[in-house]
Amino acid sequence: MGPLLQDRAERQEHHTCGDPGKALATYSDVFLKIGLAGVATGVVFLALSPVLKKWAHGASDTHALPQAEVDGDRQSVDRTALH
């Protein structure tokens, strides 16, 4: 039973981080990559914003469309106002 427990202890030692310097380096590397990916995504969206603005043509128009007239019984829509 001794070698079995020793083997398990050795495997468990590999799973825990025994070197704080190595852990800090890994942590820093991972979060640096995440941060750079976020900055790169922001730059891409900033560069695409003029294109996205053109794609959204008319979405922020301040010109009001003609309002449909409403009579007492039902709503009637002026079909020329829709075009």
Side-chain angles (χ1 to χ4, degrees), residues 12-83:
Q12 191 173 17
E13 184 179 315
H14 290 298
H15 291 296
T16 59
C17 185
D19 183 12
K22 185 176 179 183
L24 180 61
T26 302
Y27 171 86
S28 298
D29 184 53
V30 168
F31 281 94
L32 176 68
K33 289 177 183 176
I34 291 171
L36 291 176
V39 169
T41 302
V43 168
V44 167
F45 278 114
L46 188 62
L48 286 176
S49 65
V51 175
L52 294 174
K53 189 174 181 179
K54 286 182 183 180
W55 285 352
H57 61 85
S60 63
D61 283 346
T62 57
H63 307 296
L65 293 175
Q67 297 293 322
E69 293 183 24
V70 178
D71 57 19
D73 293 328
R74 60 190 173 104
Q75 294 182 355
S76 61
V77 177
D78 181 14
R79 298 230 182 248
T80 60
L82 298 176
H83 297 286

